[in-house]
């Protein structure tokens, strides 16, 4: 009963975080691991739980979504699917012991990206790299998202800024669409690989969806810096706990 309450609470808050700023994986992955789920399975199961939130966010920005300069929407979809599939396949062949050692470093890196996201976007915005470099960038970020979902949103926003996109609603819409696509293909591969705990995933999915709606409503009343630094603090605490639990 306590484990169920922990998973539902983590998923609800994660859905709320993703609705307003991102960082939901900082809660779902540790919650599953702390209930005894192996790290690779926990990562896959938590990703499944957060998928509906990405789809809902993408639909909400459907009128504003536009590809960055130099890339068509069709090409962007293909790159997101290919990269997401590659990252998910890499996760399937990663031993639990290896992933457990890597997780705290991934959490720290994702937390740093999230903390310095606005600065990073300002520094990278306005560039116009070649189409080949743009394609490689999308593939790399999509592969990261298929392997480990934490910090994906801020990476995508930074990438779109680098590619010359300036309209924030278009960037957010595209971020949600790419996240939904690469997560969907990753989930399909996770399911085929048998690394998803479906009872936990479905239960957390409902809680995350409810949290996403509630978070969007509450976020309208909270200052953005409070949300951002709250997520950064969560990421640092979770990374510290993973370091502490390592053998």
């Amino acid at each position: 009963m306590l484990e169920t309450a922990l998973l539902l609470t983590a998923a609800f808050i994660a859905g709320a975080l993703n609705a307003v700023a991102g960082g939901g994986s900082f809660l779902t992955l540790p919650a599953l691991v702390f209930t005894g789920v192996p790290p690779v399975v926990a990562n896959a199961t938590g990703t499944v739980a957060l998928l509906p939130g990405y789809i809902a966010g993408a639909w909400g920005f459907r009128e504003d979504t536009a590809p960055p300069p130099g890339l068509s929407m069709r090409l962007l979809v293909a790159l997101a699917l290919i990269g997401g599939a590659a990252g998910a396949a890499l996760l399937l062949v990663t031993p639990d012991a290896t992933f457990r050692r890597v997780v705290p470093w991934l959490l720290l890196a994702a937390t740093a990206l999230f903390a310095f996201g606005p600065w990073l976007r300002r520094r990278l915005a306005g560039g116009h790299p070649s189409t080949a470099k743009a394609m490689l960038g999308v593939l790399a970020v999509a592969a990261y998202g298929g392997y480990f979902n934490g910090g994906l949103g801020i990476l995508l926003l930074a990438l779109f800024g680098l590619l010359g996109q300036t309209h924030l609603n278009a960037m957010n819409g595209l971020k949600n669409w790419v996240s939904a696509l690469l997560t969907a293909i990753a989930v399909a591969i996770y399911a085929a690989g048998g690394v998803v705990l479906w009872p936990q995933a479905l239960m957390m999915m409902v809680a995350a969806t409810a949290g996403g709606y509630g978070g969007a409503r509450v976020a309208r009343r909270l200052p953005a810096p409070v949300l951002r630094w709250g997520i950064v603090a969560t990421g640092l605490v979770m990374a510290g706990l993973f370091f502490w639990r390592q053998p």
Side-chain angles (χ1 to χ4, degrees), residues 18 40 79 91 101 122 140 162 171 179-180 186 212-213 227 229:
N18 278 349
V40 169
L79 293 172
L91 180 69
R101 288 194 295 270
R122 287 194 298 269
L162 174 64
M171 293 169 71
S179 296
Y213 177 79
L227 293 171
W229 291 110

Side-chain angles (χ1 to χ4, degrees), residues 125-143:
H128 294 282
S130 67
T131 299
K133 290 181 179 178
M135 291 173 62
L136 286 175
V138 174
L139 275 174
V141 174

Side-chain angles (χ1 to χ4, degrees), residues 198-224:
W198 288 105
Q200 288 91 329
L202 295 174
M203 173 180 65
M204 294 174 74
M205 191 180 290
V206 173
T209 303
Y213 177 79
R217 304 303 296 175
V218 172
R220 300 170 67 238
R221 305 179 185 178
L222 294 177

Side-chain angles (χ1 to χ4, degrees), residues 54-79:
Y54 290 132
I55 296 173
W59 182 251
F61 280 106
R62 63 190 181 279
E63 293 92 356
D64 301 303
T65 302
L71 292 177
S72 68
M73 202 66 178
R74 183 175 298 180
L75 178 58
L76 199 63
V77 167
L79 293 172

Side-chain angles (χ1 to χ4, degrees), residues 116-206:
F116 297 104
W119 176 83
L120 184 62
R121 289 202 301 272
R122 287 194 298 269
R123 289 295 300 268
L124 296 181
H128 294 282
S130 67
T131 299
K133 290 181 179 178
M135 291 173 62
L136 286 175
V138 174
L139 275 174
V141 174
Y144 169 88
Y147 185 78
F148 181 71
N149 206 256
L152 174 62
I154 197 63
L155 273 177
L156 285 171
L157 288 175
L159 175 65
F160 298 148
L162 174 64
L163 297 181
Q165 203 161 28
T166 57
H167 190 265
L168 185 58
N169 282 345
M171 293 169 71
N172 269 320
L174 199 60
K175 176 199 74 176
N176 282 299
W177 276 115
V178 171
S179 296
L181 286 167
L182 70 87
T183 302
I185 191 67
V187 164
I189 292 173
Y190 297 157
V195 294
V196 177
L197 294 179
W198 288 105
Q200 288 91 329
L202 295 174
M203 173 180 65
M204 294 174 74
M205 191 180 290
V206 173

Side-chain angles (χ1 to χ4, degrees), residues 98-112:
T98 300
F99 191 71
R100 186 182 291 275
R101 288 194 295 270
V102 170
V103 161
W105 296 104
L106 289 173
L107 283 171
L108 280 179
T111 301

